[in-house]
Short mmCIF file of all heavy atoms in Angstrom, two decimals:
data_model
loop_
_atom_site.label_atom_id
_atom_site.label_comp_id
_atom_site.label_asym_id
_atom_site.label_seq_id
_atom_site.Cartn_x
_atom_site.Cartn_y
_atom_site.Cartn_z
N ILE A 1 52.68 44.85 65.97
CA ILE A 1 53.80 44.04 66.45
C ILE A 1 55.12 44.73 66.33
O ILE A 1 55.93 44.69 67.34
CB ILE A 1 53.83 42.66 65.87
CG1 ILE A 1 52.67 41.82 66.36
CG2 ILE A 1 55.12 41.95 66.07
CD1 ILE A 1 52.69 41.54 67.89
N GLU A 2 55.35 45.38 65.19
CA GLU A 2 56.66 46.04 65.09
C GLU A 2 56.89 47.13 66.10
O GLU A 2 57.94 47.30 66.78
CB GLU A 2 56.89 46.45 63.66
CG GLU A 2 57.11 45.41 62.67
CD GLU A 2 57.44 45.85 61.27
OE1 GLU A 2 58.20 46.81 61.18
OE2 GLU A 2 56.99 45.13 60.39
N SER A 3 55.77 47.96 66.36
CA SER A 3 55.80 49.01 67.34
C SER A 3 55.95 48.37 68.74
O SER A 3 56.71 48.94 69.52
CB SER A 3 54.63 49.87 67.25
OG SER A 3 54.54 50.52 65.96
N LEU A 4 55.27 47.35 68.99
CA LEU A 4 55.40 46.72 70.30
C LEU A 4 56.83 46.21 70.54
O LEU A 4 57.36 46.30 71.61
CB LEU A 4 54.42 45.60 70.44
CG LEU A 4 54.46 44.80 71.73
CD1 LEU A 4 54.07 45.63 72.85
CD2 LEU A 4 53.47 43.53 71.64
N SER A 5 57.39 45.65 69.50
CA SER A 5 58.78 45.20 69.65
C SER A 5 59.74 46.31 69.99
O SER A 5 60.63 46.15 70.79
CB SER A 5 59.21 44.58 68.21
OG SER A 5 60.64 44.25 68.30
N GLU A 6 59.47 47.53 69.48
CA GLU A 6 60.25 48.72 69.82
C GLU A 6 60.08 49.09 71.26
O GLU A 6 61.07 49.42 71.96
CB GLU A 6 59.93 49.90 68.93
CG GLU A 6 60.35 49.67 67.44
CD GLU A 6 59.88 50.71 66.48
OE1 GLU A 6 59.25 51.73 67.01
OE2 GLU A 6 59.88 50.49 65.30
N LEU A 7 58.90 48.91 71.83
CA LEU A 7 58.66 49.23 73.20
C LEU A 7 59.34 48.20 74.12
O LEU A 7 59.94 48.58 75.07
CB LEU A 7 57.08 49.17 73.53
CG LEU A 7 56.31 50.40 73.07
CD1 LEU A 7 54.86 50.25 73.53
CD2 LEU A 7 56.89 51.73 73.56
N TYR A 8 59.31 46.96 73.78
CA TYR A 8 59.99 45.94 74.44
C TYR A 8 61.49 46.14 74.49
O TYR A 8 62.14 45.92 75.47
CB TYR A 8 59.62 44.57 73.89
CG TYR A 8 58.31 43.95 74.19
CD1 TYR A 8 57.78 42.93 73.46
CD2 TYR A 8 57.49 44.47 75.11
CE1 TYR A 8 56.55 42.37 73.73
CE2 TYR A 8 56.20 43.99 75.37
CZ TYR A 8 55.74 42.94 74.73
OH TYR A 8 54.49 42.42 74.96
N TYR A 9 62.00 46.62 73.33
CA TYR A 9 63.38 46.93 73.22
C TYR A 9 63.88 47.96 74.31
O TYR A 9 64.84 47.91 74.94
CB TYR A 9 63.80 47.35 71.87
CG TYR A 9 65.34 47.47 71.73
CD1 TYR A 9 66.19 46.35 71.51
CD2 TYR A 9 65.98 48.67 71.93
CE1 TYR A 9 67.53 46.46 71.41
CE2 TYR A 9 67.33 48.88 71.81
CZ TYR A 9 68.15 47.81 71.53
OH TYR A 9 69.50 47.82 71.48
N GLN A 10 62.95 49.07 74.39
CA GLN A 10 63.23 50.04 75.36
C GLN A 10 63.47 49.48 76.80
O GLN A 10 64.22 49.90 77.52
CB GLN A 10 62.07 51.07 75.48
CG GLN A 10 62.03 52.01 74.31
CD GLN A 10 60.86 53.00 74.51
OE1 GLN A 10 60.22 53.13 75.59
NE2 GLN A 10 60.48 53.67 73.40
N PHE A 11 62.55 48.50 77.08
CA PHE A 11 62.64 47.91 78.41
C PHE A 11 63.67 46.82 78.66
O PHE A 11 64.40 46.84 79.56
CB PHE A 11 61.24 47.37 78.87
CG PHE A 11 61.15 46.92 80.20
CD1 PHE A 11 61.09 47.76 81.27
CD2 PHE A 11 61.18 45.54 80.54
CE1 PHE A 11 60.99 47.39 82.62
CE2 PHE A 11 61.20 45.15 81.86
CZ PHE A 11 61.01 46.00 82.81
N TRP A 12 63.64 45.88 77.74
CA TRP A 12 64.52 44.72 77.95
C TRP A 12 65.82 44.83 77.14
O TRP A 12 66.81 44.06 77.32
CB TRP A 12 63.88 43.37 77.56
CG TRP A 12 62.80 43.01 78.51
CD1 TRP A 12 63.10 42.51 79.77
CD2 TRP A 12 61.44 43.01 78.40
NE1 TRP A 12 61.92 42.21 80.35
CE2 TRP A 12 60.83 42.57 79.56
CE3 TRP A 12 60.58 43.48 77.32
CZ2 TRP A 12 59.60 42.44 79.80
CZ3 TRP A 12 59.18 43.29 77.58
CH2 TRP A 12 58.72 42.83 78.77
N ASN A 13 65.99 45.85 76.30
CA ASN A 13 67.20 46.08 75.51
C ASN A 13 67.69 44.87 74.73
O ASN A 13 68.90 44.56 74.72
CB ASN A 13 68.34 46.55 76.50
CG ASN A 13 69.40 47.31 75.79
OD1 ASN A 13 69.22 47.89 74.76
ND2 ASN A 13 70.65 47.19 76.24
N GLU A 14 66.72 44.16 74.23
CA GLU A 14 67.03 43.05 73.34
C GLU A 14 66.06 43.05 72.11
O GLU A 14 64.88 43.41 72.38
CB GLU A 14 67.16 41.67 74.11
CG GLU A 14 65.90 41.31 74.69
CD GLU A 14 65.95 39.99 75.53
OE1 GLU A 14 66.65 40.04 76.54
OE2 GLU A 14 65.52 39.03 75.04
N ASN A 15 66.47 42.55 71.00
CA ASN A 15 65.61 42.49 69.92
C ASN A 15 64.69 41.38 69.96
O ASN A 15 65.02 40.31 70.53
CB ASN A 15 66.51 42.40 68.58
CG ASN A 15 67.19 43.71 68.27
OD1 ASN A 15 66.68 44.79 68.39
ND2 ASN A 15 68.49 43.60 67.94
N SER A 16 63.51 41.54 69.37
CA SER A 16 62.56 40.47 69.33
C SER A 16 62.42 39.96 67.81
O SER A 16 62.66 40.71 66.96
CB SER A 16 61.15 40.95 69.74
OG SER A 16 61.25 41.30 71.08
N ASP A 17 62.01 38.73 67.64
CA ASP A 17 61.82 38.18 66.30
C ASP A 17 60.33 38.59 65.95
O ASP A 17 59.48 38.00 66.42
CB ASP A 17 62.00 36.68 66.39
CG ASP A 17 61.86 35.99 65.00
OD1 ASP A 17 60.97 36.38 64.24
OD2 ASP A 17 62.71 35.12 64.76
N ILE A 18 60.24 39.46 64.97
CA ILE A 18 58.94 40.05 64.62
C ILE A 18 58.08 38.93 64.06
O ILE A 18 56.91 38.88 64.46
CB ILE A 18 59.16 41.15 63.62
CG1 ILE A 18 59.98 42.26 64.11
CG2 ILE A 18 57.76 41.65 63.10
CD1 ILE A 18 59.41 43.03 65.21
N GLN A 19 58.63 38.00 63.29
CA GLN A 19 57.73 37.08 62.64
C GLN A 19 57.23 36.05 63.66
O GLN A 19 56.10 35.62 63.68
CB GLN A 19 58.52 36.23 61.57
CG GLN A 19 58.61 36.99 60.24
CD GLN A 19 57.46 37.60 59.80
OE1 GLN A 19 57.23 38.81 59.69
NE2 GLN A 19 56.43 36.87 59.47
N LYS A 20 58.13 35.72 64.69
CA LYS A 20 57.64 34.80 65.79
C LYS A 20 56.62 35.53 66.62
O LYS A 20 55.64 34.89 67.02
CB LYS A 20 58.82 34.43 66.63
CG LYS A 20 59.75 33.40 66.05
CD LYS A 20 60.74 32.85 67.01
CE LYS A 20 61.63 31.77 66.41
NZ LYS A 20 62.65 31.31 67.34
N MET A 21 56.76 36.80 66.89
CA MET A 21 55.79 37.60 67.59
C MET A 21 54.47 37.59 66.89
O MET A 21 53.41 37.42 67.50
CB MET A 21 56.28 39.04 67.84
CG MET A 21 57.40 39.28 68.81
SD MET A 21 57.96 40.94 68.92
CE MET A 21 56.55 41.64 69.82
N LYS A 22 54.43 37.80 65.61
CA LYS A 22 53.17 37.84 64.85
C LYS A 22 52.58 36.43 64.80
O LYS A 22 51.33 36.30 64.97
CB LYS A 22 53.50 38.20 63.40
CG LYS A 22 53.83 39.72 63.21
CD LYS A 22 53.98 40.11 61.79
CE LYS A 22 54.21 41.63 61.65
NZ LYS A 22 54.43 42.02 60.33
N SER A 23 53.33 35.34 64.70
CA SER A 23 52.79 33.98 64.69
C SER A 23 52.21 33.67 66.11
O SER A 23 51.07 33.12 66.18
CB SER A 23 53.87 32.96 64.40
OG SER A 23 54.36 33.15 63.11
N LYS A 24 52.86 34.13 67.15
CA LYS A 24 52.39 33.82 68.48
C LYS A 24 51.21 34.59 68.75
O LYS A 24 50.14 34.08 69.41
CB LYS A 24 53.48 34.15 69.49
CG LYS A 24 53.14 33.76 70.93
CD LYS A 24 52.98 32.27 71.08
CE LYS A 24 54.30 31.57 71.09
NZ LYS A 24 54.29 30.20 71.53
N LEU A 25 51.12 35.84 68.40
CA LEU A 25 49.95 36.65 68.65
C LEU A 25 48.74 36.07 67.75
O LEU A 25 47.62 36.02 68.39
CB LEU A 25 50.18 38.15 68.25
CG LEU A 25 48.92 39.08 68.58
CD1 LEU A 25 48.56 39.04 70.01
CD2 LEU A 25 49.21 40.45 68.06
N THR A 26 48.92 35.66 66.51
CA THR A 26 47.87 35.00 65.79
C THR A 26 47.33 33.75 66.52
O THR A 26 46.17 33.60 66.66
CB THR A 26 48.42 34.58 64.42
OG1 THR A 26 48.83 35.80 63.77
CG2 THR A 26 47.37 33.94 63.60
N LEU A 27 48.25 32.95 67.04
CA LEU A 27 47.82 31.79 67.86
C LEU A 27 47.01 32.12 69.08
O LEU A 27 45.96 31.62 69.34
CB LEU A 27 49.03 30.95 68.13
CG LEU A 27 48.81 29.71 68.98
CD1 LEU A 27 48.12 28.62 68.12
CD2 LEU A 27 50.18 29.21 69.51
N LEU A 28 47.57 33.02 69.82
CA LEU A 28 46.92 33.41 71.14
C LEU A 28 45.68 34.31 70.95
O LEU A 28 44.82 34.20 71.92
CB LEU A 28 48.00 34.17 71.96
CG LEU A 28 49.16 33.37 72.39
CD1 LEU A 28 50.18 34.17 73.23
CD2 LEU A 28 48.67 32.14 73.24
N HIS A 29 45.46 34.87 69.78
CA HIS A 29 44.20 35.59 69.62
C HIS A 29 43.05 34.60 69.63
O HIS A 29 41.88 34.99 69.92
CB HIS A 29 44.26 36.38 68.34
CG HIS A 29 44.58 37.75 68.41
ND1 HIS A 29 44.82 38.60 67.39
CD2 HIS A 29 44.76 38.58 69.59
CE1 HIS A 29 45.13 39.83 67.79
NE2 HIS A 29 45.15 39.84 69.11
N ASN A 30 43.37 33.38 69.31
CA ASN A 30 42.25 32.31 69.24
C ASN A 30 42.08 31.70 70.63
O ASN A 30 41.25 30.76 70.73
CB ASN A 30 42.65 31.23 68.25
CG ASN A 30 42.57 31.78 66.77
OD1 ASN A 30 41.78 32.66 66.45
ND2 ASN A 30 43.55 31.42 66.05
N ASN A 31 42.84 32.09 71.69
CA ASN A 31 42.73 31.57 72.98
C ASN A 31 42.06 32.60 73.88
O ASN A 31 42.70 33.69 74.11
CB ASN A 31 44.09 31.18 73.52
CG ASN A 31 44.07 30.49 74.85
OD1 ASN A 31 43.22 30.72 75.63
ND2 ASN A 31 45.12 29.74 75.14
N GLU A 32 40.87 32.31 74.31
CA GLU A 32 40.08 33.33 75.13
C GLU A 32 40.71 33.63 76.49
O GLU A 32 40.35 34.64 77.16
CB GLU A 32 38.68 32.85 75.34
CG GLU A 32 37.86 32.86 74.01
CD GLU A 32 36.41 32.42 74.22
OE1 GLU A 32 35.98 32.36 75.47
OE2 GLU A 32 35.76 32.24 73.21
N ALA A 33 41.72 32.92 76.93
CA ALA A 33 42.35 33.17 78.16
C ALA A 33 43.29 34.37 78.11
O ALA A 33 43.71 34.92 79.11
CB ALA A 33 43.19 31.90 78.54
N TYR A 34 43.65 34.79 76.90
CA TYR A 34 44.62 35.89 76.70
C TYR A 34 43.91 37.19 76.35
O TYR A 34 43.07 37.20 75.54
CB TYR A 34 45.67 35.53 75.63
CG TYR A 34 46.66 34.56 76.07
CD1 TYR A 34 46.43 33.14 76.02
CD2 TYR A 34 47.93 34.94 76.71
CE1 TYR A 34 47.30 32.24 76.48
CE2 TYR A 34 48.78 34.01 77.09
CZ TYR A 34 48.53 32.68 76.96
OH TYR A 34 49.40 31.72 77.42
N ILE A 35 44.37 38.25 77.02
CA ILE A 35 43.89 39.59 76.75
C ILE A 35 45.09 40.42 76.39
O ILE A 35 45.98 40.51 77.22
CB ILE A 35 43.17 40.23 77.97
CG1 ILE A 35 41.96 39.32 78.35
CG2 ILE A 35 42.67 41.65 77.57
CD1 ILE A 35 41.46 39.76 79.74
N PHE A 36 45.19 40.94 75.19
CA PHE A 36 46.25 41.84 74.74
C PHE A 36 45.68 43.25 74.49
O PHE A 36 44.88 43.42 73.57
CB PHE A 36 46.92 41.33 73.48
CG PHE A 36 47.59 40.00 73.62
CD1 PHE A 36 46.97 38.83 73.32
CD2 PHE A 36 48.90 40.00 74.08
CE1 PHE A 36 47.60 37.59 73.52
CE2 PHE A 36 49.55 38.73 74.21
CZ PHE A 36 48.92 37.59 73.90
N LEU A 37 46.11 44.24 75.25
CA LEU A 37 45.69 45.56 75.01
C LEU A 37 46.82 46.50 74.65
O LEU A 37 47.94 46.23 75.01
CB LEU A 37 44.98 46.14 76.33
CG LEU A 37 43.76 45.37 76.88
CD1 LEU A 37 43.40 45.92 78.17
CD2 LEU A 37 42.72 45.38 75.86
N CYS A 38 46.47 47.56 73.95
CA CYS A 38 47.48 48.57 73.67
C CYS A 38 46.88 49.97 73.83
O CYS A 38 45.66 50.18 73.71
CB CYS A 38 48.15 48.38 72.36
SG CYS A 38 46.99 48.53 70.95
N ALA A 39 47.71 50.93 74.04
CA ALA A 39 47.32 52.36 74.08
C ALA A 39 47.90 52.96 72.84
O ALA A 39 49.07 52.81 72.53
CB ALA A 39 47.94 53.00 75.33
N ILE A 40 47.03 53.81 72.18
CA ILE A 40 47.41 54.43 70.94
C ILE A 40 47.18 55.91 71.09
O ILE A 40 46.02 56.36 71.61
CB ILE A 40 46.57 53.89 69.77
CG1 ILE A 40 46.63 52.36 69.58
CG2 ILE A 40 46.89 54.61 68.42
CD1 ILE A 40 48.04 51.85 69.10
N GLU A 41 48.14 56.70 70.67
CA GLU A 41 47.90 58.15 70.58
C GLU A 41 48.51 58.68 69.35
O GLU A 41 49.68 58.38 69.03
CB GLU A 41 48.57 58.81 71.87
CG GLU A 41 48.19 60.30 71.97
CD GLU A 41 48.58 60.90 73.30
OE1 GLU A 41 49.86 61.02 73.57
OE2 GLU A 41 47.68 61.11 74.10
N ASN A 42 47.81 59.50 68.64
CA ASN A 42 48.25 59.98 67.32
C ASN A 42 48.76 58.96 66.38
O ASN A 42 49.77 59.04 65.77
CB ASN A 42 49.38 61.06 67.54
CG ASN A 42 48.79 62.28 68.36
OD1 ASN A 42 47.77 62.69 68.18
ND2 ASN A 42 49.68 62.80 69.15
N GLU A 43 47.94 57.83 66.38
CA GLU A 43 48.29 56.62 65.58
C GLU A 43 49.64 55.92 65.89
O GLU A 43 50.19 55.15 65.07
CB GLU A 43 48.23 57.02 64.12
CG GLU A 43 46.87 57.65 63.69
CD GLU A 43 46.82 57.88 62.19
OE1 GLU A 43 47.60 57.26 61.41
OE2 GLU A 43 45.95 58.74 61.81
N LYS A 44 50.07 56.21 67.13
CA LYS A 44 51.27 55.57 67.58
C LYS A 44 51.04 54.69 68.81
O LYS A 44 50.36 55.13 69.70
CB LYS A 44 52.36 56.61 67.84
CG LYS A 44 53.68 56.10 68.31
CD LYS A 44 54.66 57.10 68.70
CE LYS A 44 56.06 56.40 69.06
NZ LYS A 44 56.87 57.33 69.81
N LEU A 45 51.59 53.45 68.87
CA LEU A 45 51.49 52.59 69.98
C LEU A 45 52.39 53.12 71.06
O LEU A 45 53.64 53.27 70.85
CB LEU A 45 51.87 51.18 69.56
CG LEU A 45 51.62 50.12 70.61
CD1 LEU A 45 50.95 48.94 70.05
CD2 LEU A 45 52.81 49.78 71.39
N ILE A 46 51.87 53.45 72.17
CA ILE A 46 52.63 54.03 73.33
C ILE A 46 52.57 53.18 74.60
O ILE A 46 53.24 53.49 75.59
CB ILE A 46 52.18 55.45 73.64
CG1 ILE A 46 50.58 55.51 73.95
CG2 ILE A 46 52.45 56.40 72.49
CD1 ILE A 46 50.12 56.82 74.45
#
């Protein structure tokens, strides 16, 4: 989530609430309608 927040900042130029993001992702992970994917290279979210 912290790395994702940094990517979102690059695009939207606004800070995200890390704790809210973590809570929301935890909630949505239990909902089969949502698919969250990421690309990782050299242990970095890109």
Side-chain angles (χ1 to χ4, degrees):
I1 290 296
E2 288 186 38
S3 296
L4 180 61
S5 173
E6 292 171 13
L7 286 185
Y8 286 166
Y9 186 84
Q10 284 182 15
F11 185 75
W12 286 289
N13 201 29
E14 60 184 74
N15 291 315
S16 297
D17 184 320
I18 302 296
Q19 286 312 116
K20 282 186 179 178
M21 289 176 72
K22 287 181 177 182
S23 294
K24 186 63 74 169
L25 183 60
T26 299
L27 177 71
L28 294 177
H29 264 172
N30 294 321
N31 185 332
E32 291 183 12
Y34 286 84
I35 303 168
F36 294 95
L37 299 176
C38 64
I40 304 290
E41 189 168 70
N42 298 323
E43 299 182 27
K44 181 181 179 198
L45 189 136
I46 56 173

